[in-house]
Amino acid sequence: MAAEIHNVDDILEAHIPAEELAEVKRILYGSPCGEIEVVDAAAQLSADNDFEIKAYQYNAKPESTRPPRIVRIGLIQNTIAAETTEPIEVQRDAIFAKIAPIIDAAGEMGVNVLCLQEAWPMPFAFCTREKHPWCEFAEDVKTGPSTRFLAAFAKKYDMVIVSPILERDEVHLETIWNTAVVIDHRGEVLGRHRKNHIPRVGDFNESTYYMEPKPLRHEVFETKYGRIGINICYGRHFPLNWQGLALNGAEIVFNPSATVGALSEPMWAIEARNAAIANNYFVGAINRVGTETFPNEFSSGNGKPAHKDFGHFYGSSYIAAPNASRTPGLSRTRDGLLVTEVDLNLSRQVRDLWCLNMTARLDEYGEKISAAASDEFTPERIGK
Amino acid sequence: MAAEIHNVDDILEAHIPAEELAEVKRILYGSPCGEIEVVDAAAQLSADNDFEIKAYQYNAKPESTRPPRIVRIGLIQNTIAAETTEPIEVQRDAIFAKIAPIIDAAGEMGVNVLCLQEAWPMPFAFCTREKHPWCEFAEDVKTGPSTRFLAAFAKKYDMVIVSPILERDEVHLETIWNTAVVIDHRGEVLGRHRKNHIPRVGDFNESTYYMEPKPLRHEVFETKYGRIGINICYGRHFPLNWQGLALNGAEIVFNPSATVGALSEPMWAIEARNAAIANNYFVGAINRVGTETFPNEFSSGNGKPAHKDFGHFYGSSYIAAPNASRTPGLSRTRDGLLVTEVDLNLSRQVRDLWCLNMTARLDEYGEKISAAASDEFTPERIGK
């Protein structure tokens, strides 16, 4: 098998002549974002610990009646750090050890709001359909090891951290959920969001482990640095899941994901950007990276022989802006930190320009969606 | 001002080495579509009349219980053909004259379902905010010159034609609408769809000329060649407008548009593809092409001096497939015909794979959207 390419952006930059490159990038990626400096301390951490740092900036127009609302958003993508045959604690601690310097780099870069990838403290073992030992990674939102680990960083760097984990709900029959914990800048748990849409596709046998929460919720978290929403992984395929967060006022939405190339890569550059365009907010799209191998073989429901490795998680985390632009992506193969400084005022400026809110006809759509959900629904068809 | 580039795809093909190009194209555009032959008669028409033809193909897996449902979809994009100072009939007839050989080429290529660009028989004069003479382009759905012109081609080639026009509704106080007429393969008007969302952005002063129809409708047309829906231009920014057509069973959705580079080009490759992914149907995205100049100067609400030309309509029409792939685009600068042969069975195959229908939670979203439309709505926010 050929080696995975590092990054589409690098290939465009390397081969397309400058006079055409600017126009190609405008069409593919929108108006250019600026770059911001990677401070020495962060660069040193990146060199010492072999992860990539990229740092960009989106401005907004100055306004007379509102000051700029500058926020630095951080996204982290990473491979797992120990063999999946190791004891649970060894695997998790190895990930903690590799994540620590990346969070320190985010702190050095002045990141205000940081999000990690989906189920970040563990391998994405749901392909195996085995309950043992993977269910042991599930942990309590408030007292679990991940929250305790991250709370110290949040407090140290005055940083909001979104931590997507496998949750064990002790109060309700020890039920397992796919959950993002929001830790505020003081290191306190502000709340949690549970994944609204659970996949049953390919190796993503997630409904074997956890279900959709009832009721459907699109909580928006009011933080020191703006209003944050979370759309976990497969939820990105549902425009209404993105819209639900917008209706509750989200200004930054994170999409922590774990998805592999053969299944979804051509969608990756589309969905988060469409959400940013349709909802006038910033989106941070995060995908894990690397190939994970499991002790026992498993089949993938695709007619092919059983095997032990998941496909390639292609990373490529990026930020999509409300003005239809996006940053370059992180690597398809390496751990990385993406920092993007944004002015949240851009959202309302784009909203006032396009008037999508004013022309949305929500009252009528609400009735239509409800009607379509009914068992008595008759589609409107003309002809025949 | 630098000349407009012809096409991003051509630039990628020209400069990126083969070993990297395949992977770049997979990531940007999805799994490759095949190419189909441009027959001699069509090639001759294209050479004689200076328009581009591109022709592609998407297959589906063979099924035991359903035969393939092969349909050839055609999209036409074109510049206007006479000065905007000419009398209305001269302008319209000039467009008819340039469109005729392109439709003939579609016929020679065996196109089954053809769609033209938004308001195709006229310049996109809504930038001017002048009512005279532009309102004179409005015409009756059944008896207007455009329908009469196209009906003959529909009958001759056994072809369904979607004709987006400026409609004059004689029955209801001569009201003007932005409307797509669906002409069936016998040359009969099957029905019409009116544009659900009307822009008030930049030079798109369309609500000065026509409004949103009540009630909101997402009619799907049962044709000899499958179920067709239409999402006109600005409606593409609304995921719910796309979804409404899916809920009524659309298999092919056309998005006839007129949009300019500075405003929307980075969105163009995103929105139709996202709709195809989220709704498991084919999308034909069509944009007009060229720069249109008007007799009187007009201002654009952007702080710049009044001027006489609209920006550059960038063409770039393409087909998006339910499997997250897309065809290359037509030119950014030339008239063109895009032919794509598809197997409609692909839609259900992708739907069964991804289960987005099964996991959509429509009952809950209907209630949520209705609640958000209410004056009493309180967003769900946690913290502060």
Side-chain angles (χ1 to χ4, degrees):
Chain A
M1 202 169 80
E4 295 287 344
I5 66 169
H6 176 62
N7 193 301
V8 167
D9 307 320
D10 292 350
I11 293 174
L12 302 183
E13 300 273 353
H15 298 295
I16 299 178
E19 64 273 22
E20 291 170 314
L21 183 62
E23 187 66 351
V24 166
K25 287 170 69 176
R26 180 187 71 81
I27 293 170
L28 291 178
Y29 299 144
S31 50
C33 48
E35 297 196 14
I36 56 176
E37 188 195 355
V38 175
V39 299
D40 288 346
Q44 192 62 53
L45 284 161
S46 134
D48 292 346
N49 297 280
D50 191 24
F51 64 89
E52 179 183 38
I53 300 185
K54 290 185 170 181
Y56 302 102
Q57 182 181 40
Y58 283 108
N59 292 318
K61 289 195 178 78
E63 300 180 16
S64 292
T65 57
R66 292 196 300 183
R69 290 185 300 142
I70 306 298
V71 173
R72 288 203 174 187
I73 303 170
L75 312 180
I76 293 177
Q77 67 177 35
N78 58 280
T79 63
I80 57 174
E83 296 296 323
T84 56
T85 46
E86 295 286 346
I88 295 294
E89 294 86 342
V90 172
Q91 292 186 53
R92 183 161 54 206
D93 286 347
I95 294 175
F96 285 4
K98 87 144 42 179
I99 287 289
I102 310 182
I103 303 179
D104 281 329
E108 297 292 346
M109 288 293 293
V111 165
N112 305 117
V113 184
L114 179 71
C115 185
L116 307 182
Q117 70 197 19
E118 184 185 22
W120 71 272
M122 62 181 290
F124 213 70
F126 314 118
C127 53
T128 65
R129 300 191 303 286
E130 292 173 339
K131 300 300 174 86
H132 176 80
W134 315 117
C135 288
E136 288 193 67
F137 276 105
E139 51 181 302
D140 185 78
V141 161
K142 293 204 172 169
T143 62
S146 299
T147 301
R148 281 185 280 120
F149 171 75
L150 292 176
F153 288 98
K155 196 168 178 179
K156 175 176 179 187
Y157 292 117
D158 207 30
M159 184 193 286
V160 173
I161 303 182
V162 179
S163 169
I165 62 169
L166 193 65
E167 178 194 353
R168 170 82 71 186
D169 180 359
E170 300 285 351
V171 175
H172 295 95
L173 297 174
E174 301 179 314
T175 307
I176 290 176
W177 301 98
N178 183 313
T179 300
V181 183
V182 180
I183 302 168
D184 74 12
H185 65 285
R186 294 161 301 202
E188 303 293 323
V189 172
L190 186 58
R192 52 115 177 101
H193 170 79
R194 289 174 176 161
K195 186 173 182 172
N196 279 329
H197 299 269
I198 309 296
R200 289 113 167 117
V201 50
D203 275 335
F204 295 85
N205 302 301
E206 296 174 51
S207 68
T208 301
Y209 296 84
Y210 42 81
M211 290 176 63
E212 297 82 0
K214 300 268 175 147
L216 178 65
R217 290 185 69 189
H218 299 97
E219 312 93 335
V220 165
F221 299 90
E222 298 255 24
T223 77
K224 182 178 175 185
Y225 308 109
R227 293 192 297 267
I228 292 169
I230 303 143
N231 179 344
I232 304 178
C233 198
Y234 181 72
R236 74 185 177 281
H237 307 305
F238 298 85
L240 278 166
N241 202 34
W242 294 105
Q243 189 166 355
L245 295 163
L247 292 171
N248 284 331
E251 299 173 302
I252 305 167
V253 174
F254 293 105
N255 176 229
S257 298
T259 183
V260 292
L263 187 70
S264 71
E265 194 161 5
M267 304 176 181
W268 183 249
I270 302 293
E271 293 166 315
R273 274 184 83 190
N274 194 77
I277 292 166
N279 297 294
N280 307 130
Y281 51 45
F282 290 92
V283 177
I286 309 167
N287 185 24
R288 69 169 57 204
V289 70
T291 300
E292 301 178 358
T293 304
F294 295 93
N296 303 322
E297 66 176 13
F298 56 94
S299 58
S300 297
N302 59 0
K304 293 182 182 163
H307 51 100
K308 292 188 174 182
D309 67 303
F310 216 136
H312 177 67
F313 293 102
Y314 52 82
S316 307
S317 305
Y318 68 101
I319 292 276
N323 66 357
S325 300
R326 57 159 289 178
T327 66
L330 287 179
S331 168
R332 295 181 70 257
T333 56
R334 292 183 67 198
D335 296 346
L337 167 67
L338 179 69
V339 178
T340 306
E341 181 178 289
V342 306
D343 182 345
L344 294 179
N345 284 355
L346 185 61
S347 291
R348 195 168 85 182
Q349 292 176 11
V350 174
R351 184 164 278 149
D352 285 349
L353 175 65
W354 280 91
C355 306
L356 301 183
N357 51 344
M358 186 169 95
T359 51
R361 311 186 69 166
L362 288 186
D363 53 339
E364 295 172 90
Y365 278 110
E367 288 178 21
K368 280 192 170 276
I369 296 294
S370 292
S374 157
D375 206 27
E376 279 75 46
F377 177 58
T378 304
E380 182 179 1
R381 293 183 187 166
I382 292 174
K384 280 205 172 157
Chain B
M1 203 168 82
E4 294 287 345
I5 67 169
H6 176 63
N7 193 303
V8 168
D9 307 320
D10 293 350
I11 294 174
L12 302 183
E13 300 274 351
H15 298 295
I16 298 177
E19 64 272 21
E20 291 170 316
L21 183 62
E23 186 68 351
V24 166
K25 286 171 70 175
R26 180 186 72 79
I27 293 170
L28 291 179
Y29 299 143
S31 50
C33 47
E35 296 196 13
I36 56 176
E37 188 195 356
V38 176
V39 298
D40 288 345
Q44 193 62 51
L45 284 161
S46 132
D48 292 346
N49 296 280
D50 191 25
F51 63 89
E52 178 183 39
I53 301 185
K54 291 185 170 179
Y56 302 102
Q57 183 181 38
Y58 284 108
N59 293 318
K61 289 195 178 77
E63 300 181 16
S64 293
T65 58
R66 291 194 302 182
R69 290 185 300 142
I70 306 298
V71 173
R72 287 202 175 186
I73 303 170
L75 312 180
I76 293 177
Q77 66 177 37
N78 60 279
T79 63
I80 56 175
E83 297 295 325
T84 56
T85 46
E86 294 286 346
I88 295 294
E89 293 87 342
V90 172
Q91 292 186 53
R92 184 160 55 206
D93 287 347
I95 294 174
F96 285 5
K98 89 146 37 182
I99 288 288
I102 311 182
I103 303 179
D104 282 328
E108 297 291 347
M109 289 292 295
V111 164
N112 304 118
V113 184
L114 179 70
C115 185
L116 307 182
Q117 69 197 18
E118 185 185 23
W120 69 273
M122 62 180 289
F124 214 70
F126 314 117
C127 52
T128 65
R129 298 190 306 286
E130 292 172 340
K131 299 299 173 85
H132 176 79
W134 315 115
C135 289
E136 287 193 66
F137 276 105
E139 52 180 303
D140 184 78
V141 161
K142 294 204 172 167
T143 63
S146 299
T147 301
R148 283 185 280 122
F149 171 76
L150 292 176
F153 288 99
K155 197 168 176 180
K156 175 176 179 186
Y157 293 116
D158 208 31
M159 183 193 286
V160 173
I161 303 182
V162 178
S163 169
I165 62 170
L166 193 65
E167 177 194 355
R168 170 83 69 187
D169 181 359
E170 298 287 351
V171 176
H172 295 95
L173 297 175
E174 303 179 312
T175 306
I176 290 175
W177 301 99
N178 183 313
T179 299
V181 183
V182 180
I183 302 168
D184 75 12
H185 65 286
R186 295 161 301 202
E188 303 293 322
V189 171
L190 186 59
R192 52 116 177 98
H193 170 79
R194 289 175 176 159
K195 185 173 182 173
N196 279 328
H197 298 268
I198 310 296
R200 290 114 167 116
V201 50
D203 275 334
F204 295 85
N205 302 301
E206 297 175 50
S207 68
T208 301
Y209 296 85
Y210 42 80
M211 290 176 62
E212 298 82 359
K214 300 269 174 142
L216 178 66
R217 291 185 67 190
H218 300 97
E219 311 93 334
V220 166
F221 299 91
E222 298 255 25
T223 78
K224 183 178 175 185
Y225 308 109
R227 293 192 298 267
I228 292 169
I230 302 144
N231 179 344
I232 305 177
C233 197
Y234 181 73
R236 74 184 179 281
H237 307 304
F238 298 86
L240 278 165
N241 202 35
W242 294 105
Q243 189 166 355
L245 295 163
L247 292 171
N248 284 331
E251 299 173 303
I252 305 167
V253 174
F254 293 105
N255 175 229
S257 299
T259 182
V260 292
L263 187 69
S264 71
E265 196 160 3
M267 304 176 180
W268 183 248
I270 302 295
E271 292 165 316
R273 274 184 82 190
N274 194 76
I277 293 166
N279 297 295
N280 307 130
Y281 51 46
F282 290 93
V283 177
I286 309 166
N287 185 23
R288 70 169 58 203
V289 70
T291 301
E292 301 178 359
T293 305
F294 294 93
N296 303 321
E297 67 176 12
F298 55 93
S299 59
S300 298
N302 60 0
K304 293 182 182 163
H307 51 101
K308 293 187 174 184
D309 67 303
F310 217 135
H312 177 66
F313 293 103
Y314 52 82
S316 307
S317 304
Y318 69 100
I319 292 276
N323 65 357
S325 299
R326 59 159 287 177
T327 67
L330 288 179
S331 168
R332 295 181 69 257
T333 56
R334 293 182 66 198
D335 295 347
L337 168 67
L338 179 70
V339 178
T340 306
E341 181 179 289
V342 307
D343 183 346
L344 294 179
N345 284 356
L346 184 61
S347 292
R348 194 168 83 181
Q349 292 176 11
V350 173
R351 185 165 278 149
D352 285 349
L353 175 65
W354 281 93
C355 306
L356 301 183
N357 51 343
M358 185 170 96
T359 51
R361 312 186 70 166
L362 287 186
D363 53 339
E364 294 172 272
Y365 278 110
E367 288 178 23
K368 281 194 170 273
I369 296 292
S370 292
S374 157
D375 206 28
E376 278 75 46
F377 177 60
T378 305
E380 182 179 1
R381 293 184 186 164
I382 292 174
K384 277 205 173 157

